Amino acid sequence: MANSTSGDSVTDRLVRVLETFTPTRTVQTTAEIGRRAGLPSSSAHRIVGELVEAGLLERDDQRRVRIGMRLWELATRSSHALRLRQVALPFMERVQARVREHTQLAILEQDEALFLERLSDADSGANITRVAGRLPLHASSSGLVLLSYADRDLQERVLSAPLQRLTDATLVAPTDVRRKLSEIRLVGYAVAPGYIETVSTGVAVPVREGSGVVIAALSVVLPRGTAPESALPELRHAAAGIENALVRHR
Ligand code: PHB
């Protein structure tokens, strides 16, 4: 339904407003939202005002705007990801307690790895992952696991787009990524040394549902020099635990 002079729909504009918020940009002025969403100032003020009224956005005491708890509540409550996260959490806690490094759970979402949970110690090392944040599929251990078990169309789509180089170690040639994906399918886990940040190595294993389809990746982020073998048995054990619990809680 096109009902603005620019021809975009109400829904388009709402989505554009909401998408100006990111894991690292959580508070903005209405003027910034309007500029980032490509909206005229009057539309930005009206839409933001309506969303604040509905509780989907909130204002702080300086009238800056952030995502409202009502939106979090609605989105979290009805999400299928919530069940997976809840089932996985005790197993993730065990990995985190034993390996004592960042432990995270990701799913495939719109050609990226979307992180549902991350557990860290106060003294865990570097980690750029955020809960509800995304990482590129070709450049993270979780992403590579999800990509290696994804359907051919998705793999081809991702490999035919330019692959961003994030560090000297990131695989950016499609042939190198393809080789890595077959290796992951062969050994059943992914190691990504320095692919996304030079100081860390990601190690990820697949999590399957009853039918055998891979639905998530469970990973740890280790300091770069640490041997992945130190975390693999715990990761595998936890993935198997999550898989059994998913079957039981169906
Ligand atoms: C990875 O999964 O490869 C990964 C994720 C976050 C980091 C480092 C590595 O900070």
Side-chain angles (χ1 to χ4, degrees), residues 124-140:
S124 300
N127 184 355
I128 60 169
T129 315
R130 300 266 176 285
V131 173
R134 294 168 178 238
L135 290 181
L137 293 177
H138 71 288
S140 59

PDB file of all heavy atoms in Angstrom, residues 124-140:
ATOM      1  N   SER A 124      36.805 -12.840  30.324  1.00  0.00           N
ATOM      2  CA  SER A 124      36.958 -13.462  29.001  1.00  0.00           C
ATOM      3  C   SER A 124      37.614 -12.451  28.072  1.00  0.00           C
ATOM      4  O   SER A 124      37.497 -11.242  28.273  1.00  0.00           O
ATOM      5  CB  SER A 124      35.600 -13.850  28.421  1.00  0.00           C
ATOM      6  OG  SER A 124      34.930 -14.759  29.250  1.00  0.00           O
ATOM      7  N   GLY A 125      38.258 -12.950  27.012  1.00  0.00           N
ATOM      8  CA  GLY A 125      38.992 -12.070  26.093  1.00  0.00           C
ATOM      9  C   GLY A 125      38.086 -11.313  25.137  1.00  0.00           C
ATOM     10  O   GLY A 125      36.894 -11.148  25.388  1.00  0.00           O
ATOM     11  N   ALA A 126      38.674 -10.869  24.026  1.00  0.00           N
ATOM     12  CA  ALA A 126      37.939 -10.059  23.039  1.00  0.00           C
ATOM     13  C   ALA A 126      36.778 -10.852  22.446  1.00  0.00           C
ATOM     14  O   ALA A 126      36.826 -12.076  22.367  1.00  0.00           O
ATOM     15  CB  ALA A 126      38.892  -9.646  21.930  1.00  0.00           C
ATOM     16  N   ASN A 127      35.732 -10.150  22.061  1.00  0.00           N
ATOM     17  CA  ASN A 127      34.603 -10.792  21.367  1.00  0.00           C
ATOM     18  C   ASN A 127      33.720  -9.697  20.784  1.00  0.00           C
ATOM     19  O   ASN A 127      33.245  -8.839  21.528  1.00  0.00           O
ATOM     20  CB  ASN A 127      33.785 -11.645  22.346  1.00  0.00           C
ATOM     21  CG  ASN A 127      32.668 -12.417  21.653  1.00  0.00           C
ATOM     22  OD1 ASN A 127      32.453 -12.247  20.456  1.00  0.00           O
ATOM     23  ND2 ASN A 127      31.990 -13.245  22.393  1.00  0.00           N
ATOM     24  N   ILE A 128      33.503  -9.747  19.475  1.00  0.00           N
ATOM     25  CA  ILE A 128      32.691  -8.687  18.876  1.00  0.00           C
ATOM     26  C   ILE A 128      31.219  -9.075  18.766  1.00  0.00           C
ATOM     27  O   ILE A 128      30.402  -8.282  18.339  1.00  0.00           O
ATOM     28  CB  ILE A 128      33.218  -8.276  17.482  1.00  0.00           C
ATOM     29  CG1 ILE A 128      33.207  -9.467  16.537  1.00  0.00           C
ATOM     30  CG2 ILE A 128      34.619  -7.706  17.576  1.00  0.00           C
ATOM     31  CD1 ILE A 128      33.448  -9.048  15.110  1.00  0.00           C
ATOM     32  N   THR A 129      30.884 -10.285  19.196  1.00  0.00           N
ATOM     33  CA  THR A 129      29.490 -10.731  19.091  1.00  0.00           C
ATOM     34  C   THR A 129      28.592 -10.008  20.092  1.00  0.00           C
ATOM     35  O   THR A 129      28.990  -9.789  21.235  1.00  0.00           O
ATOM     36  CB  THR A 129      29.396 -12.235  19.426  1.00  0.00           C
ATOM     37  OG1 THR A 129      30.434 -12.899  18.765  1.00  0.00           O
ATOM     38  CG2 THR A 129      28.069 -12.803  19.009  1.00  0.00           C
ATOM     39  N   ARG A 130      27.395  -9.652  19.666  1.00  0.00           N
ATOM     40  CA  ARG A 130      26.382  -9.087  20.564  1.00  0.00           C
ATOM     41  C   ARG A 130      25.145  -9.971  20.490  1.00  0.00           C
ATOM     42  O   ARG A 130      24.821 -10.470  19.407  1.00  0.00           O
ATOM     43  CB  ARG A 130      25.932  -7.694  20.084  1.00  0.00           C
ATOM     44  CG  ARG A 130      27.034  -6.679  20.001  1.00  0.00           C
ATOM     45  CD  ARG A 130      27.115  -5.864  21.290  1.00  0.00           C
ATOM     46  NE  ARG A 130      28.226  -4.944  21.271  1.00  0.00           N
ATOM     47  CZ  ARG A 130      29.502  -5.268  21.425  1.00  0.00           C
ATOM     48  NH1 ARG A 130      29.843  -6.527  21.623  1.00  0.00           N
ATOM     49  NH2 ARG A 130      30.464  -4.377  21.385  1.00  0.00           N
ATOM     50  N   VAL A 131      24.424 -10.104  21.601  1.00  0.00           N
ATOM     51  CA  VAL A 131      23.128 -10.792  21.549  1.00  0.00           C
ATOM     52  C   VAL A 131      22.226  -9.939  20.655  1.00  0.00           C
ATOM     53  O   VAL A 131      22.213  -8.704  20.772  1.00  0.00           O
ATOM     54  CB  VAL A 131      22.519 -10.937  22.955  1.00  0.00           C
ATOM     55  CG1 VAL A 131      21.103 -11.507  22.866  1.00  0.00           C
ATOM     56  CG2 VAL A 131      23.396 -11.831  23.811  1.00  0.00           C
ATOM     57  N   ALA A 132      21.519 -10.614  19.737  1.00  0.00           N
ATOM     58  CA  ALA A 132      20.699  -9.939  18.723  1.00  0.00           C
ATOM     59  C   ALA A 132      21.559  -9.150  17.738  1.00  0.00           C
ATOM     60  O   ALA A 132      21.061  -8.281  17.039  1.00  0.00           O
ATOM     61  CB  ALA A 132      19.632  -9.038  19.340  1.00  0.00           C
ATOM     62  N   GLY A 133      22.834  -9.477  17.689  1.00  0.00           N
ATOM     63  CA  GLY A 133      23.711  -8.895  16.676  1.00  0.00           C
ATOM     64  C   GLY A 133      24.021  -9.956  15.620  1.00  0.00           C
ATOM     65  O   GLY A 133      23.724 -11.137  15.813  1.00  0.00           O
ATOM     66  N   ARG A 134      24.607  -9.522  14.525  1.00  0.00           N
ATOM     67  CA  ARG A 134      24.869 -10.445  13.421  1.00  0.00           C
ATOM     68  C   ARG A 134      26.342 -10.460  13.048  1.00  0.00           C
ATOM     69  O   ARG A 134      27.024  -9.463  13.245  1.00  0.00           O
ATOM     70  CB  ARG A 134      24.080  -9.990  12.186  1.00  0.00           C
ATOM     71  CG  ARG A 134      22.588 -10.105  12.378  1.00  0.00           C
ATOM     72  CD  ARG A 134      21.879  -9.379  11.248  1.00  0.00           C
ATOM     73  NE  ARG A 134      20.438  -9.522  11.376  1.00  0.00           N
ATOM     74  CZ  ARG A 134      19.661 -10.058  10.434  1.00  0.00           C
ATOM     75  NH1 ARG A 134      20.179 -10.449   9.297  1.00  0.00           N
ATOM     76  NH2 ARG A 134      18.376 -10.160  10.642  1.00  0.00           N
ATOM     77  N   LEU A 135      26.796 -11.583  12.488  1.00  0.00           N
ATOM     78  CA  LEU A 135      28.133 -11.645  11.900  1.00  0.00           C
ATOM     79  C   LEU A 135      28.006 -12.261  10.503  1.00  0.00           C
ATOM     80  O   LEU A 135      27.085 -13.050  10.245  1.00  0.00           O
ATOM     81  CB  LEU A 135      29.069 -12.509  12.752  1.00  0.00           C
ATOM     82  CG  LEU A 135      29.493 -11.948  14.124  1.00  0.00           C
ATOM     83  CD1 LEU A 135      30.439 -12.927  14.822  1.00  0.00           C
ATOM     84  CD2 LEU A 135      30.142 -10.571  14.014  1.00  0.00           C
ATOM     85  N   PRO A 136      28.947 -11.923   9.625  1.00  0.00           N
ATOM     86  CA  PRO A 136      28.890 -12.485   8.268  1.00  0.00           C
ATOM     87  C   PRO A 136      29.143 -13.997   8.284  1.00  0.00           C
ATOM     88  O   PRO A 136      29.939 -14.489   9.086  1.00  0.00           O
ATOM     89  CB  PRO A 136      30.015 -11.760   7.523  1.00  0.00           C
ATOM     90  CG  PRO A 136      30.683 -10.865   8.482  1.00  0.00           C
ATOM     91  CD  PRO A 136      30.040 -10.987   9.831  1.00  0.00           C
ATOM     92  N   LEU A 137      28.473 -14.707   7.384  1.00  0.00           N
ATOM     93  CA  LEU A 137      28.574 -16.176   7.379  1.00  0.00           C
ATOM     94  C   LEU A 137      29.986 -16.658   7.052  1.00  0.00           C
ATOM     95  O   LEU A 137      30.465 -17.623   7.638  1.00  0.00           O
ATOM     96  CB  LEU A 137      27.578 -16.762   6.363  1.00  0.00           C
ATOM     97  CG  LEU A 137      26.096 -16.578   6.694  1.00  0.00           C
ATOM     98  CD1 LEU A 137      25.232 -17.147   5.582  1.00  0.00           C
ATOM     99  CD2 LEU A 137      25.756 -17.255   8.024  1.00  0.00           C
ATOM    100  N   HIS A 138      30.683 -15.985   6.126  1.00  0.00           N
ATOM    101  CA  HIS A 138      31.974 -16.516   5.663  1.00  0.00           C
ATOM    102  C   HIS A 138      33.112 -16.195   6.638  1.00  0.00           C
ATOM    103  O   HIS A 138      34.198 -16.729   6.494  1.00  0.00           O
ATOM    104  CB  HIS A 138      32.322 -15.937   4.287  1.00  0.00           C
ATOM    105  CG  HIS A 138      32.681 -14.477   4.328  1.00  0.00           C
ATOM    106  ND1 HIS A 138      31.749 -13.494   4.547  1.00  0.00           N
ATOM    107  CD2 HIS A 138      33.877 -13.844   4.227  1.00  0.00           C
ATOM    108  CE1 HIS A 138      32.359 -12.314   4.561  1.00  0.00           C
ATOM    109  NE2 HIS A 138      33.646 -12.494   4.365  1.00  0.00           N
ATOM    110  N   ALA A 139      32.844 -15.303   7.634  1.00  0.00           N
ATOM    111  CA  ALA A 139      33.956 -14.777   8.425  1.00  0.00           C
ATOM    112  C   ALA A 139      33.896 -15.150   9.903  1.00  0.00           C
ATOM    113  O   ALA A 139      34.677 -14.635  10.687  1.00  0.00           O
ATOM    114  CB  ALA A 139      34.010 -13.258   8.269  1.00  0.00           C
ATOM    115  N   SER A 140      32.940 -16.010  10.284  1.00  0.00           N
ATOM    116  CA  SER A 140      32.871 -16.419  11.696  1.00  0.00           C
ATOM    117  C   SER A 140      32.683 -17.936  11.745  1.00  0.00           C
ATOM    118  O   SER A 140      32.142 -18.535  10.804  1.00  0.00           O
ATOM    119  CB  SER A 140      31.671 -15.739  12.386  1.00  0.00           C
ATOM    120  OG  SER A 140      30.473 -16.085  11.740  1.00  0.00           O
TER     121      SER A 140
END
